[in-house]
Amino acid sequence: MRILSLFLVFVILYNKCDADTPANCTYEDIVGTWIFQYTQIDGDNTINCTTETNYVSAVKLTLDFPDLAVDQDGNTGFWTLIYNQGFEVVIGGKKWFAFSSYKTYGHTVASMCHLTFPGWVHNTDGRSWNCYVGVKPETTNIDKLGQEHNIQGKSAFRNSESFVNGINSNQSLWKATSYRQFEGMPMEDIIKMAGGKGSANAFPKCAPVEKKHLKVSNLPKQFDWRDQNGVNYVSPVRNQGSCGSCYAFGSMALYEARLRIATNNTVQKVFSTQDIVSCSQYSQGCDGGFPYLIAGKYGQDFGIIEEECFKYTGEDSPCIQTSCKRYYTRDYYYVGGFYGGCNEPLMREELVKNGPIAISFQVYNDFVHYKSGIYHHVDLLDKFNPWEITNHVVLIVGYGEEQGVPYWIVKNSWGTDWGEDGFFRIRRGNDECSIESMAVGIVVDPITS
């Protein structure tokens, strides 16, 4: 069995609260031959790659289907996209990660998918850090233009009883309601709460094969980490507010649950989401990020701290230095092995065997009104309440079936007054709102002394 040293046991939503930069680079843009130019500083994780330009060495890498990496010396390794924002390569004892490049021209964004921004490379043991930039020389270097959405920050969210009634009258699986806490909130904050400004890119599909179905045929029909023989392994629901930090909350919820499981519930921690928002160079603060990079890469490279060390403010506040104990991610990965390899049977297997998973899914205008039941998007209602489509990161904690309808049980980060005490159920098995397209897992280090 291949050991994917670049992945953390963590599953999270579609992609845009775990979103981020305006780059929009597809699998086809990234696959191919790259030249990585890198420094020879051999520093530690405090290295500043935004100012470093002394790239004195280079390596040639070919990224092939579906996740094979080969360097100029014939060494093989693995790689994965991170949504449409960047990619990570593990090969020859080193990990390479960078965001894809882009330029902005007023309200227009040009994705420069043949280039990366300055990124980080280090040994797989976390030592000998350097900076690098990547270039894909065989491309035609034509920028991909895309129109950036304008956010009307002065417009406010208004509950609409006719909209809510329309949802409830057009289906019977779930119930919608109006929430007073959202009334009057700037639409920009509502959009951030759901992940940030989204792109229209679809997730790669990976249809389950028969062997995978057989592999999970013996899994239980119902499963919930909130009640395993009377024990709850899921940490309390929190509220991210209007900051686009769902990726941090989903990532920390993942780590918290996996740590509880690894220690038989003897270690129950709540970890700092503000440390992620303020300090991580692998994300964009209140403008979004990705669980793969946070619960996984940031957790492994820098470690995470407890909530009391850096309490949540819900703002892009400056990073603070602390001597608090750090907890590390031992391993991280996409369920299915790479971005695009995920499917519903594998998600259930990962959930039952290893713990909750962080996922990203696509938030539509009706989701904010969810109160109870098994959610599915009511397509018909888009025209009644226009709202920019975004992506949101959450934590799947279980699954079940009700009246013949299979569903996932999901922990949200909008407080306990929303939904089913802060949780929601969503239709399972048909990739509803792209929820079965990208799941992340991590392995935590249970050592606490």
Side-chain angles (χ1 to χ4, degrees), residues 358-431:
I359 56 140
S360 294
F361 74 106
Q362 193 163 324
V363 170
Y364 289 98
N365 54 358
D366 55 349
F367 180 75
V368 71
H369 293 285
Y370 172 87
K371 179 175 177 59
S372 61
I374 303 173
Y375 172 79
H376 62 92
H377 174 47
V378 184
D379 296 314
L380 201 109
L381 300 176
D382 281 339
K383 60 185 178 182
F384 298 137
N385 190 18
W387 188 30
E388 185 175 5
I389 295 174
T390 63
N391 297 296
H392 185 46
V393 174
V394 289
L395 186 76
I396 293 181
V397 302
Y399 62 84
E401 185 174 313
E402 185 176 283
Q403 296 182 349
V405 180
Y407 59 82
W408 295 110
I409 305 168
V410 191
K411 178 185 178 183
N412 201 1
S413 53
W414 292 354
T416 55
D417 291 334
W418 181 89
E420 298 179 329
D421 297 323
F423 292 81
F424 67 95
R425 288 175 290 160
I426 185 171
R427 195 159 51 184
R428 170 172 59 89
N430 65 333
D431 199 22

Side-chain angles (χ1 to χ4, degrees), residues 13-22 83 85 148-149 151 187-200 240-247 284-289 361-364 387-393 414:
L13 276 187
Y14 178 44
N15 223 359
K16 274 279 176 191
C17 178
D18 55 344
D20 29 58
T21 79
Y83 189 47
Q85 303 284 292
E148 184 178 24
H149 295 284
I151 303 300
M187 281 303 300
E188 185 173 7
D189 289 347
I190 290 285
I191 291 169
K192 282 185 176 180
M193 186 180 73
K197 294 178 288 183
S199 72
Q240 70 184 73
S242 60
C243 173
S245 55
C246 60
Y247 69 97
Q284 289 74 46
C286 280
D287 288 327
F361 74 106
Q362 193 163 324
V363 170
Y364 289 98
W387 188 30
E388 185 175 5
I389 295 174
T390 63
N391 297 296
H392 185 46
V393 174
W414 292 354

Side-chain angles (χ1 to χ4, degrees), residues 100-244:
S100 294
S101 184
Y102 64 89
K103 289 182 179 179
T104 57
Y105 307 93
H107 295 299
T108 300
V109 175
S111 298
M112 304 172 67
C113 300
H114 61 288
L115 301 173
T116 74
F117 281 119
W120 302 265
V121 55
H122 57 74
N123 293 349
T124 52
D125 63 5
R127 300 177 181 177
S128 189
W129 284 62
N130 283 285
C131 304
Y132 83 99
V133 290
V135 59
K136 193 178 180 186
E138 77 272 20
T139 63
T140 58
N141 296 352
I142 298 177
D143 297 343
K144 295 173 62 179
L145 294 176
Q147 186 65 34
E148 184 178 24
H149 295 284
N150 291 318
I151 303 300
Q152 301 299 323
K154 294 183 180 180
S155 63
F157 179 86
R158 299 298 179 193
N159 284 295
S160 168
E161 290 304 318
S162 61
F163 181 63
V164 170
N165 292 337
I167 295 173
N168 291 330
S169 64
N170 275 276
Q171 52 81 45
S172 60
L173 281 181
W174 64 282
K175 183 178 179 180
T177 192
S178 296
Y179 287 98
R180 291 183 180 180
Q181 64 264 37
F182 299 152
E183 182 70 24
M185 183 181 291
M187 281 303 300
E188 185 173 7
D189 289 347
I190 290 285
I191 291 169
K192 282 185 176 180
M193 186 180 73
K197 294 178 288 183
S199 72
N201 275 22
F203 274 90
K205 302 290 184 180
C206 184
V209 298
E210 190 62 27
K211 288 184 179 179
K212 291 176 182 176
H213 280 300
L214 292 173
K215 189 177 181 181
V216 298
S217 61
N218 293 325
L219 292 178
K221 297 290 185 182
Q222 313 270 340
F223 192 87
D224 190 343
W225 278 107
R226 298 174 300 176
D227 183 7
Q228 287 301 299
N229 298 318
V231 179
N232 178 15
Y233 292 92
V234 178
S235 57
V237 171
R238 301 177 67 188
N239 194 336
Q240 70 184 73
S242 60
C243 173

Side-chain angles (χ1 to χ4, degrees), residues 66 94 111 116 218 254 266 324 332 341 358 388 404 439:
K94 294 184 178 296
S111 298
T116 74
N218 293 325
L254 174 64
T266 59
C324 291
Y332 59 101
E388 185 175 5

